[in-house]
Amino acid sequence: MCSGFGCDMKHDCYRFTANRGIWQYWFNVVPIKDGKCEMFWDNELTAAKDISCQVIDNEENKSNE
């Protein structure tokens, strides 16, 4: 996830527009170098793919249910 601070492309980037969740990593500093972001993830390309994540269940989570 990205705060998008100082980024002109943030509204086109999945890292900024994705729904926020509890267990997501955030950039401490927006990774813009020389006016470009190496971590840019185009929303249009993301929409063409199924995105999924694996949920890992462990004993601690089971005891909290």
Side-chain angles (χ1 to χ4, degrees):
M1 301 298 303
C2 182
S3 69
F5 183 75
C7 180
D8 294 333
M9 300 182 300
K10 66 184 174 188
H11 295 290
D12 296 318
C13 183
Y14 185 75
R15 295 184 192 279
F16 176 76
T17 61
N19 292 328
R20 274 81 173 136
I22 296 171
W23 298 104
Q24 291 174 326
Y25 291 102
W26 284 78
F27 296 122
N28 288 330
V29 177
V30 177
I32 297 174
K33 245 186 200 179
D34 300 324
K36 297 181 181 178
C37 180
E38 293 180 7
M39 303 305 284
F40 178 77
W41 190 351
D42 193 329
N43 278 330
E44 288 186 27
L45 297 176
T46 303
K49 300 177 187 176
D50 288 333
I51 298 175
S52 63
C53 62
Q54 181 179 4
V55 176
I56 300 173
D57 204 8
N58 60 33
E59 293 302 315
E60 183 178 319
N61 287 339
K62 288 179 183 178
S63 65
N64 290 334
E65 292 178 351

